[in-house]
Amino acid sequence: TWNVLALSQGYVSRLALLRTPIPFGMAATNSLGGRAQVRWEGYPSATESGFKVGIDVAVPLAWSQVMRSRQTQTRPYLGGRLYLAPPLKRYPRVKTDFLGYAIREIPFEPWLVGQTVYFQVWYEDPGSAQGAALSEALRVFVYP
């Protein structure tokens, strides 16, 4: 507050910086000429539901699968790069819509709180020589 009679004034604030999910790496160009982008929604929490990971600009009406790892690497795979190091956790597949978008809810185990995990999405690409492709990757800090 401002006090006209005071010789000085002060300001107090509190700033809380949350680490939001950060995409990294680059997806290879798919058979339709796009680069699949990893998408997310919600808050990455082990106690709250609603965090989702998915894909956009993939091949329409194709199966996709979200994968998770606690380590990264960079290795050529399916004409692009695999950014996740084994062991991988694979979530149930989901089909992309007619625009190449799909998303899946991701529950976090309580022991992941305070750790960084990494996601990447595999998807079918029947028009490519490999028959499948990978998105870019996503770095996520897990909150309580």
Side-chain angles (χ1 to χ4, degrees):
T1 61
W2 175 260
N3 183 344
V4 178
L5 301 175
L7 297 175
S8 64
Q9 64 184 16
Y11 178 80
V12 176
S13 69
R14 180 177 163 187
L15 182 63
L17 299 174
L18 296 178
R19 295 186 214 166
T20 60
I22 300 170
F24 68 96
M26 183 183 290
T29 304
N30 61 33
S31 64
L32 300 177
R35 291 183 187 269
Q37 299 171 354
V38 69
R39 297 287 187 215
W40 75 92
E41 295 176 8
Y43 180 67
S45 168
T47 56
E48 296 179 27
S49 62
F51 183 72
K52 299 175 182 179
V53 174
I55 193 168
D56 200 8
V57 194
V59 175
L61 306 174
W63 286 108
S64 68
Q65 185 173 44
V66 176
M67 302 176 293
R68 182 187 85 199
S69 177
R70 294 190 312 150
Q71 301 174 29
T72 61
Q73 68 177 354
T74 223
R75 189 178 98 185
Y77 188 72
L78 296 174
R81 292 257 174 225
L82 178 62
Y83 294 107
L84 307 183
L88 304 178
K89 177 175 176 70
R90 293 175 175 88
Y91 293 90
R93 297 183 316 158
V94 63
K95 260 204 170 179
T96 59
D97 65 12
F98 68 97
L99 296 173
Y101 176 82
I103 199 152
R104 163 155 306 289
E105 185 156 352
I106 305 295
F108 290 110
E109 296 86 347
W111 56 267
L112 285 173
V113 170
Q115 296 186 47
T116 300
V117 293
Y118 305 91
F119 293 93
Q120 194 168 9
V121 183
W122 166 95
Y123 64 99
E124 288 181 322
D125 186 358
S128 77
Q130 294 82 14
L134 292 167
S135 71
E136 62 188 345
L138 184 68
R139 180 178 37 226
V140 177
F141 183 80
V142 182
Y143 292 93

